[in-house]
Every structure is written in C-alpha cells, then in structure tokens.
Amino acid sequence: MTTTDELRTGGYIDAFCTKCDMLLGHTILAMVGTKVVKVKCNTCGVDHSYRGEAKPVKGVRTAAPKKAVPTWSVRMKGKNLAAARKYSAKENFQVDDVIVHATFGLGLVTANRGDKIDVMFQAFEKTLVNGKGS
Ligand SMILES: [Zn+2]
C-alpha cells in the first residue's frame, strides 16, 4: 500500500474493474473491519466485490468491448492549458475544466457529481473531491 488515504465506506479506492477491464477509481460500499469487501466502479457504476488492484485471473470471460473513448491528448487538444486552474477540494470545477493537480499534473474534468469530480489525467482517471468549501 502506497496510499495513506483512510479507507472507509463511501471513500475512494483504486480497484480493478472487471467490467471496464481496467484499474479504476471505485467507491467503497462495504467493509469488514479494515478490509474492503465491496466497491462500486466510478466509471461504469457496477458494484462488485473488491479484489485488490490486480487483474483477477479467472476463466475466459472476456470483458465487454471497450468504448471508443477519446484519448487524453485528443481531449486536451484545443483546451486552453494556460487557463488551467489549480486543483483544490475547496474549489468548484465543472465538466471540461482543465485543472492542475499538485501530484497528478494536468487533468480534464470529465464528470461532475456535485461533491465529486472525475478527472482524466494523462495516464489514468481519478475521482476528486469538489466544492468542499462551498
Ligand atoms: Zn467499471
């Protein structure tokens, strides 16, 4: 574990999503003691048991074909990077805002769910807290 984030129900965890076939941000739905047992994929919304960050090895069940999601560079094209706002949990960000995260660098807000935003960084997507100060 490299993360120091406190694990709690409703919290954020990286987990392997069998549906998306990717390591993605998940919301913790259920825990037993300090162990995460059930998570919900922040990308496809599917609930599943937590199996850690590794791709589970089982059967030959192939994942659904991936959606043709534009790549980061395509989506960032034409964005005004000079107008990128520094990410802070206190700020309110909207879809299509370009942000600069202290750790992850440049990112594009792809979804806004009120107090959470999904941000596409160059190599991965993250769910971040949004509008905590409002
Ligand atoms: Zn998923």
Side-chain angles (χ1 to χ4, degrees):
M1 285 285 253
T2 50
T3 175
T4 53
D5 287 352
E6 197 191 336
L7 295 177
R8 57 183 169 78
T9 306
Y12 177 90
I13 192 167
D14 281 329
F16 192 90
C17 177
T18 46
K19 188 146 183 270
C20 302
D21 202 34
M22 277 173 82
L23 180 63
L24 290 164
H26 283 66
T27 302
I28 299 168
L29 292 183
M31 294 187 66
V32 173
T34 57
K35 235 182 114 200
V36 178
V37 293
K38 198 156 189 208
V39 292
K40 180 179 172 148
C41 178
N42 292 341
T43 305
C44 69
V46 156
D47 300 359
H48 56 84
S49 49
Y50 179 67
R51 300 176 191 88
E53 297 187 1
K55 183 174 182 168
V57 183
K58 71 160 192 186
V60 285
R61 206 176 138 245
T62 44
K66 283 194 188 86
K67 281 183 286 175
V69 178
T71 63
W72 192 81
S73 54
V74 168
R75 295 188 74 148
M76 290 303 275
K77 215 173 182 176
K79 300 279 182 229
N80 183 4
L81 302 189
R85 288 159 68 197
K86 212 170 160 187
Y87 171 75
S88 160
K90 292 190 179 70
E91 294 287 321
N92 237 304
F93 295 97
Q94 302 302 325
V95 173
D96 265 358
D97 277 356
V98 179
I99 67 163
V100 183
H101 191 281
T103 311
F104 310 126
L106 270 179
L108 178 68
V109 179
T110 58
N112 180 312
R113 295 192 299 276
D115 60 347
K116 296 259 170 62
I117 50 171
D118 287 343
V119 183
M120 191 192 233
F121 294 101
Q122 191 155 14
F124 47 79
E125 207 160 337
K126 281 268 178 197
T127 300
L128 302 172
V129 174
N130 186 45
K132 259 285 157 63
S134 57

